[in-house]
Amino acid sequence: MNTLYDVQKLLKSFGIFIYVGDRIADLELMEAEVKELYQSNLIDVRDYQMAILLLRRELKQQKEKKDE
């Protein structure tokens, strides 16, 4: 898992499609869904950590972009 698209594909494999229309809200909702999948033991720790890292990095970039 190397990109945000990979995280979306992971969620899609569980039937989870996220599009709210607000990029920041989408990322926060994806993070919550990834956490739920991990807590339910549906994904392993490596996928969980990488997905959270990618989502938080993108979230930080989006928030910085919004503040400019």
Side-chain angles (χ1 to χ4, degrees):
M1 188 174 318
N2 297 318
T3 65
L4 193 56
Y5 180 66
D6 293 332
V7 176
Q8 289 175 316
K9 288 193 308 186
L10 173 70
L11 292 171
K12 184 179 176 184
S13 71
F14 290 96
I16 301 169
F17 298 87
I18 296 175
Y19 180 76
V20 177
D22 176 19
R23 184 71 168 163
I24 292 173
D26 288 345
L27 294 167
E28 290 171 344
L29 189 53
M30 281 191 262
E31 184 175 334
E33 291 293 341
V34 167
K35 283 181 183 178
E36 187 66 33
L37 289 172
Y38 176 68
Q39 290 171 352
S40 300
N41 293 321
L42 296 172
I43 60 175
D44 66 9
V45 69
R46 185 176 301 261
D47 286 339
Y48 169 72
Q49 289 173 334
M50 197 60 183
I52 293 296
L53 177 71
L54 291 166
L55 288 166
R56 289 186 180 165
R57 182 173 55 196
E58 181 67 22
L59 187 59
K60 181 181 176 191
Q61 289 174 352
Q62 290 297 318
K63 285 183 178 180
E64 287 173 355
K65 188 177 175 182
K66 184 179 178 182
D67 290 339
E68 289 178 353

